Amino acid sequence: MIDQEAIVQTLSTNHFGKKVFSFDSIDSTNTFAKNVERIIAPHGTVVIAEEQTAGRGRLQRNWRSTKGENLLFTVILYPEFDMEKIVLLPFVGSLAVVDAIETVTGLTATCKWPNDVLINSKKICGMLLESSSGSAGIERIVLGIGVNVNQIEFSEELVGKASSLRIESGNNVDRIRLLQSILEALELRYHQLSSFPPVQILNDWKMKALLFGKKILVLEHECSFTATAIDVAEDGSLIIETGEGEKRNLFAGDVSLAYE
Ligand code: BTN
Protein backbone atom coordinates (compact mmCIF):
# COMPACT_ATOMS: atom_id res chain seq x y z
CA MET A 1 0.00 0.00 0.00
CA ILE A 2 1.27 3.52 -0.73
CA ASP A 3 2.64 4.74 2.57
CA GLN A 4 0.88 7.88 3.68
CA GLU A 5 3.81 8.88 5.91
CA ALA A 6 6.26 8.60 3.01
CA ILE A 7 4.13 10.95 0.91
CA VAL A 8 3.66 13.59 3.57
CA GLN A 9 7.15 13.60 5.12
CA THR A 10 9.06 15.25 2.28
CA LEU A 11 6.19 17.02 0.53
CA SER A 12 6.75 20.74 0.04
CA THR A 13 3.14 21.89 -0.36
CA ASN A 14 0.95 23.95 1.97
CA HIS A 15 -2.30 22.04 1.53
CA PHE A 16 -2.22 19.52 -1.30
CA GLY A 17 -1.54 15.99 -0.05
CA LYS A 18 -1.26 17.01 3.60
CA LYS A 19 -4.17 14.69 4.34
CA VAL A 20 -4.16 11.29 2.62
CA PHE A 21 -6.65 8.40 2.56
CA SER A 22 -4.68 5.39 1.31
CA PHE A 23 -6.30 2.09 0.23
CA ASP A 24 -4.98 -1.23 -0.95
CA SER A 25 -8.15 -1.75 -2.98
CA ILE A 26 -11.22 0.44 -3.49
CA ASP A 27 -14.04 0.70 -6.06
CA SER A 28 -12.97 4.17 -7.26
CA THR A 29 -10.96 6.90 -5.54
CA ASN A 30 -13.29 9.46 -7.18
CA THR A 31 -16.38 7.83 -5.66
CA PHE A 32 -14.80 7.86 -2.18
CA ALA A 33 -13.67 11.49 -2.68
CA LYS A 34 -17.17 12.59 -3.67
CA ASN A 35 -18.76 11.03 -0.61
CA VAL A 36 -16.27 11.61 2.22
CA GLU A 37 -17.40 14.20 4.76
CA ARG A 38 -15.87 17.64 4.30
CA ILE A 39 -14.90 17.93 7.96
CA ILE A 40 -12.37 15.09 7.60
CA ALA A 41 -11.32 15.91 4.02
CA PRO A 42 -10.02 19.50 3.78
CA HIS A 43 -9.01 21.25 0.54
CA GLY A 44 -6.20 19.33 -1.16
CA THR A 45 -6.95 15.97 0.48
CA VAL A 46 -5.69 13.01 -1.55
CA VAL A 47 -7.43 9.65 -1.91
CA ILE A 48 -5.07 7.03 -3.32
CA ALA A 49 -5.31 3.30 -4.05
CA GLU A 50 -3.12 0.50 -5.35
CA GLU A 51 -6.10 -0.97 -7.19
CA GLN A 52 -9.58 0.10 -8.26
CA THR A 53 -12.28 -2.51 -8.80
CA ALA A 54 -14.54 -0.03 -10.63
CA GLY A 55 -12.14 2.68 -11.85
CA ARG A 56 -13.97 5.18 -14.02
CA GLY A 57 -12.84 7.14 -17.06
CA ARG A 58 -14.41 9.91 -19.14
CA LEU A 59 -17.57 9.27 -21.16
CA GLN A 60 -18.66 6.32 -18.98
CA ARG A 61 -15.56 4.30 -19.88
CA ASN A 62 -13.62 2.07 -17.48
CA TRP A 63 -10.09 2.84 -16.28
CA ARG A 64 -7.97 -0.29 -15.90
CA SER A 65 -4.59 -0.36 -14.21
CA THR A 66 -2.35 -3.20 -13.01
CA LYS A 67 -2.30 -3.35 -9.21
CA GLY A 68 0.65 -1.67 -7.51
CA GLU A 69 2.35 -0.34 -10.64
CA ASN A 70 0.71 3.01 -11.35
CA LEU A 71 -0.75 6.06 -9.67
CA LEU A 72 -4.49 6.11 -9.07
CA PHE A 73 -5.55 9.06 -6.97
CA THR A 74 -8.06 11.86 -6.51
CA VAL A 75 -7.52 15.35 -5.14
CA ILE A 76 -10.45 17.01 -3.36
CA LEU A 77 -10.88 20.71 -4.13
CA TYR A 78 -13.24 23.35 -2.77
CA PRO A 79 -12.73 26.15 -5.30
CA GLU A 80 -13.35 29.66 -4.09
CA PHE A 81 -13.42 31.15 -7.57
CA ASP A 82 -16.28 31.38 -10.03
CA MET A 83 -17.39 29.23 -12.96
CA GLU A 84 -15.24 31.13 -15.47
CA LYS A 85 -12.20 29.64 -13.72
CA ILE A 86 -13.70 26.32 -12.54
CA VAL A 87 -14.10 25.22 -16.18
CA LEU A 88 -10.33 25.56 -16.58
CA LEU A 89 -9.46 23.05 -13.84
CA PRO A 90 -8.85 20.26 -16.41
CA PHE A 91 -6.06 22.42 -17.85
CA VAL A 92 -4.58 22.97 -14.36
CA GLY A 93 -4.56 19.19 -13.83
CA SER A 94 -2.94 18.24 -17.11
CA LEU A 95 -0.34 21.02 -16.96
CA ALA A 96 0.64 19.92 -13.44
CA VAL A 97 1.12 16.33 -14.58
CA VAL A 98 3.22 17.48 -17.56
CA ASP A 99 5.33 19.69 -15.25
CA ALA A 100 5.92 16.78 -12.85
CA ILE A 101 6.69 14.17 -15.51
CA GLU A 102 9.26 16.49 -17.07
CA THR A 103 10.84 17.24 -13.67
CA VAL A 104 11.02 13.63 -12.49
CA THR A 105 11.82 11.76 -15.72
CA GLY A 106 13.24 14.37 -18.12
CA LEU A 107 10.80 13.09 -20.78
CA THR A 108 8.85 15.59 -22.89
CA ALA A 109 5.13 15.29 -22.27
CA THR A 110 2.28 17.03 -24.11
CA CYS A 111 -1.35 17.86 -23.42
CA LYS A 112 -4.24 16.54 -25.47
CA TRP A 113 -7.60 18.28 -25.16
CA PRO A 114 -9.42 18.10 -22.86
CA ASN A 115 -7.22 16.52 -20.19
CA ASP A 116 -4.98 13.71 -21.37
CA VAL A 117 -1.21 13.68 -21.12
CA LEU A 118 0.76 12.01 -23.90
CA ILE A 119 4.35 10.98 -24.49
CA ASN A 120 5.41 10.14 -28.04
CA SER A 121 1.69 10.40 -29.00
CA LYS A 122 0.67 7.69 -26.51
CA LYS A 123 -1.57 8.22 -23.51
CA ILE A 124 0.25 8.20 -20.19
CA CYS A 125 -2.35 9.89 -18.02
CA GLY A 126 -6.10 10.50 -17.98
CA MET A 127 -8.24 12.60 -15.69
CA LEU A 128 -11.83 12.53 -14.55
CA LEU A 129 -13.22 15.68 -12.93
CA GLU A 130 -16.54 15.46 -11.15
CA SER A 131 -18.40 18.11 -9.20
CA SER A 132 -21.00 18.27 -6.48
CA SER A 133 -23.19 21.30 -5.94
CA GLY A 134 -25.09 22.79 -3.04
CA SER A 135 -27.30 25.86 -2.67
CA ALA A 136 -24.28 28.13 -3.29
CA GLY A 137 -23.35 26.42 -6.60
CA ILE A 138 -20.38 24.11 -7.09
CA GLU A 139 -19.02 23.14 -3.68
CA ARG A 140 -16.60 20.34 -4.39
CA ILE A 141 -14.57 19.22 -7.37
CA VAL A 142 -12.85 15.87 -7.34
CA LEU A 143 -9.91 15.65 -9.70
CA GLY A 144 -9.19 11.97 -10.39
CA ILE A 145 -5.84 11.22 -11.98
CA GLY A 146 -4.59 7.92 -13.39
CA VAL A 147 -0.94 7.82 -14.46
CA ASN A 148 0.62 4.79 -16.13
CA VAL A 149 3.92 4.68 -14.28
CA ASN A 150 5.58 1.24 -14.24
CA GLN A 151 3.04 -0.93 -16.07
CA ILE A 152 4.67 -2.65 -19.04
CA GLU A 153 1.82 -4.67 -20.52
CA PHE A 154 -1.38 -3.28 -21.97
CA SER A 155 -4.46 -5.01 -23.33
CA GLU A 156 -4.65 -5.55 -27.08
CA GLU A 157 -7.00 -2.63 -27.73
CA LEU A 158 -4.60 -0.22 -25.99
CA VAL A 159 -1.37 -1.32 -27.67
CA GLY A 160 -0.01 1.61 -29.69
CA LYS A 161 -2.42 4.02 -27.95
CA ALA A 162 -1.32 3.85 -24.31
CA SER A 163 2.09 3.67 -22.72
CA SER A 164 3.83 4.19 -19.38
CA LEU A 165 6.72 6.23 -18.03
CA ARG A 166 8.70 3.02 -17.58
CA ILE A 167 8.25 2.03 -21.25
CA GLU A 168 9.04 5.52 -22.54
CA SER A 169 12.06 6.14 -20.30
CA GLY A 170 13.41 2.61 -19.99
CA ASN A 171 13.56 3.04 -16.20
CA ASN A 172 11.39 2.24 -13.23
CA VAL A 173 9.96 5.46 -11.81
CA ASP A 174 9.59 6.13 -8.08
CA ARG A 175 5.81 6.51 -7.65
CA ILE A 176 6.03 8.47 -4.38
CA ARG A 177 8.43 10.99 -5.86
CA LEU A 178 6.22 11.42 -8.92
CA LEU A 179 3.11 11.83 -6.76
CA GLN A 180 4.84 14.46 -4.61
CA SER A 181 5.96 16.30 -7.72
CA ILE A 182 2.42 16.23 -9.20
CA LEU A 183 0.95 17.58 -5.95
CA GLU A 184 3.55 20.34 -5.77
CA ALA A 185 2.92 21.33 -9.39
CA LEU A 186 -0.84 21.11 -8.88
CA GLU A 187 -0.73 23.49 -5.93
CA LEU A 188 1.31 26.00 -7.97
CA ARG A 189 -0.93 25.73 -11.04
CA TYR A 190 -4.06 25.98 -8.86
CA HIS A 191 -2.69 29.17 -7.35
CA GLN A 192 -1.92 30.48 -10.85
CA LEU A 193 -5.57 29.91 -11.84
CA SER A 194 -7.02 31.42 -8.68
CA SER A 195 -4.77 34.50 -8.56
CA PHE A 196 -4.20 35.51 -12.18
CA PRO A 197 -6.38 36.10 -15.26
CA PRO A 198 -7.65 32.76 -16.65
CA VAL A 199 -5.98 33.34 -20.00
CA GLN A 200 -2.59 32.69 -18.34
CA ILE A 201 -3.22 29.03 -17.59
CA LEU A 202 -4.84 28.58 -20.98
CA ASN A 203 -1.83 30.05 -22.76
CA ASP A 204 0.56 27.81 -20.81
CA TRP A 205 -1.59 24.80 -21.67
CA LYS A 206 -1.64 25.75 -25.38
CA MET A 207 2.16 25.84 -25.41
CA LYS A 208 2.15 22.20 -24.29
CA ALA A 209 -0.53 21.07 -26.75
CA LEU A 210 0.27 19.61 -30.17
CA LEU A 211 -3.26 19.82 -31.46
CA PHE A 212 -3.56 23.11 -33.30
CA GLY A 213 -3.64 23.07 -37.08
CA LYS A 214 -3.85 19.26 -37.00
CA LYS A 215 -6.54 17.10 -38.55
CA ILE A 216 -8.50 15.26 -35.88
CA LEU A 217 -11.16 12.60 -35.79
CA VAL A 218 -14.06 13.69 -33.57
CA LEU A 219 -16.26 11.07 -31.98
CA GLU A 220 -19.46 12.76 -30.84
CA HIS A 221 -22.12 10.50 -29.32
CA GLU A 222 -22.56 7.88 -32.07
CA CYS A 223 -21.12 9.94 -35.00
CA SER A 224 -17.57 10.56 -36.08
CA PHE A 225 -16.21 13.20 -38.45
CA THR A 226 -12.89 14.81 -39.33
CA ALA A 227 -12.05 18.42 -38.58
CA THR A 228 -9.12 20.73 -37.94
CA ALA A 229 -8.38 21.84 -34.38
CA ILE A 230 -8.08 25.64 -34.32
CA ASP A 231 -7.90 26.87 -30.73
CA VAL A 232 -9.24 26.52 -27.19
CA ALA A 233 -11.81 29.13 -26.15
CA GLU A 234 -11.81 30.89 -22.77
CA ASP A 235 -14.58 28.54 -21.59
CA GLY A 236 -12.30 25.54 -22.21
CA SER A 237 -14.15 24.33 -25.32
CA LEU A 238 -12.19 23.27 -28.39
CA ILE A 239 -12.73 25.36 -31.52
CA ILE A 240 -12.68 23.24 -34.64
CA GLU A 241 -13.27 23.80 -38.34
CA THR A 242 -15.24 21.10 -40.12
CA GLY A 243 -14.60 19.95 -43.69
CA GLU A 244 -17.39 22.30 -44.83
CA GLY A 245 -15.54 25.27 -43.36
CA GLU A 246 -17.94 25.65 -40.43
CA LYS A 247 -16.44 26.67 -37.06
CA ARG A 248 -17.80 24.86 -34.01
CA ASN A 249 -17.03 24.59 -30.31
CA LEU A 250 -16.71 21.11 -28.82
CA PHE A 251 -17.35 20.47 -25.14
CA ALA A 252 -15.41 17.85 -23.18
CA GLY A 253 -18.51 16.09 -21.84
CA ASP A 254 -19.62 15.13 -25.34
CA VAL A 255 -16.63 14.09 -27.43
CA SER A 256 -13.42 12.15 -27.67
CA LEU A 257 -10.69 12.89 -30.18
CA ALA A 258 -8.10 10.98 -32.12
CA TYR A 259 -5.30 12.43 -34.19
CA GLU A 260 -5.60 11.57 -37.87
C1 BTN B 1 -9.93 9.06 -18.80
O1 BTN B 1 -8.91 9.28 -19.45
O2 BTN B 1 -10.92 8.55 -19.31
C2 BTN B 1 -9.95 9.44 -17.34
C3 BTN B 1 -9.34 8.40 -16.45
C4 BTN B 1 -9.33 8.78 -15.00
C5 BTN B 1 -8.86 7.66 -14.11
C6 BTN B 1 -8.65 8.08 -12.69
S1 BTN B 1 -7.82 6.86 -11.75
C7 BTN B 1 -8.17 7.68 -10.26
C8 BTN B 1 -9.57 8.25 -10.38
N1 BTN B 1 -10.57 7.30 -9.94
C9 BTN B 1 -11.36 6.89 -10.94
O3 BTN B 1 -12.29 6.05 -10.84
N2 BTN B 1 -10.99 7.49 -12.09
C10 BTN B 1 -9.91 8.41 -11.89
Side-chain angles (χ1 to χ4, degrees):
M1 212 155 93
I2 294 218
D3 183 3
Q4 184 181 323
E5 274 303 295
I7 300 170
V8 179
Q9 251 170 22
T10 52
L11 185 66
S12 68
T13 58
N14 291 320
H15 303 287
F16 286 35
K18 289 292 176 178
K19 172 90 189 256
V20 179
F21 292 92
S22 180
F23 297 92
D24 181 52
S25 182
I26 195 172
D27 52 355
S28 155
T29 55
N30 264 34
T31 305
F32 181 93
K34 280 201 292 185
N35 296 319
V36 65
E37 274 182 68
R38 183 169 180 161
I39 187 99
I40 54 164
H43 183 67
T45 293
V46 168
V47 184
I48 189 160
E50 291 290 22
E51 169 188 65
Q52 297 183 124
T53 53
R56 293 183 285 113
R58 286 181 59 231
L59 308 169
Q60 274 76 53
R61 295 181 182 139
N62 298 322
W63 183 260
R64 292 205 179 83
S65 168
T66 310
K67 185 171 185 180
E69 298 195 339
N70 298 319
L71 283 176
L72 302 166
F73 67 102
T74 301
V75 184
I76 301 176
L77 306 167
Y78 304 102
E80 282 176 350
F81 37 75
D82 58 23
M83 232 13 221
E84 188 200 11
K85 286 188 173 183
I86 287 180
V87 294
L88 300 182
L89 281 169
F91 302 98
V92 164
S94 45
L95 266 176
V97 171
V98 166
D99 293 341
I101 287 176
E102 296 192 343
T103 306
V104 172
T105 68
L107 292 165
T108 299
T110 59
C111 297
K112 180 183 164 208
W113 186 89
N115 45 19
D116 290 348
V117 175
L118 313 183
I119 295 179
N120 295 324
S121 309
K122 282 176 246 154
K123 182 158 167 173
I124 295 287
C125 167
M127 286 172 210
L128 178 66
L129 287 100
E130 298 179 283
S131 59
S132 46
S133 305
S135 52
I138 288 188
E139 277 172 2
R140 178 185 304 204
I141 300 272
V142 301
L143 167 58
I145 303 181
V147 190
N148 299 330
V149 184
N150 292 320
Q151 181 168 332
I152 47 172
E153 279 172 13
F154 289 89
S155 61
E156 215 169 283
E157 80 262 24
L158 291 179
V159 171
K161 293 186 183 156
S163 188
S164 69
L165 297 177
R166 159 96 188 261
I167 295 171
E168 298 305 315
S169 69
N171 297 311
N172 232 56
V173 173
D174 182 335
R175 289 186 302 155
I176 303 270
R177 183 156 171 248
L178 181 66
L179 174 65
Q180 289 173 324
S181 186
I182 294 174
L183 294 171
E184 286 158 7
L186 205 52
E187 192 167 277
L188 287 174
R189 291 291 186 182
Y190 190 87
H191 173 73
Q192 185 183 10
L193 179 65
S194 68
S195 308
F196 297 95
V199 67
Q200 243 202 42
I201 207 88
L202 218 40
N203 284 345
D204 283 1
W205 185 90
K206 286 184 204 175
M207 286 197 292
K208 289 286 178 187
L210 294 180
L211 204 61
F212 306 115
K214 295 235 165 82
K215 280 257 176 306
I216 49 168
L217 183 69
V218 180
L219 193 68
E220 188 176 33
H221 309 297
E222 299 300 287
C223 327
S224 69
F225 60 93
T226 55
T228 306
I230 307 287
D231 201 356
V232 173
E234 284 196 10
D235 63 1
S237 62
L238 181 70
I239 306 169
I240 57 155
E241 189 171 313
T242 64
E244 292 77 48
E246 182 207 356
K247 283 216 175 114
R248 275 190 54 193
N249 292 57
L250 301 179
F251 291 88
D254 306 325
V255 294
S256 69
L257 299 183
Y259 292 105
E260 277 253 287

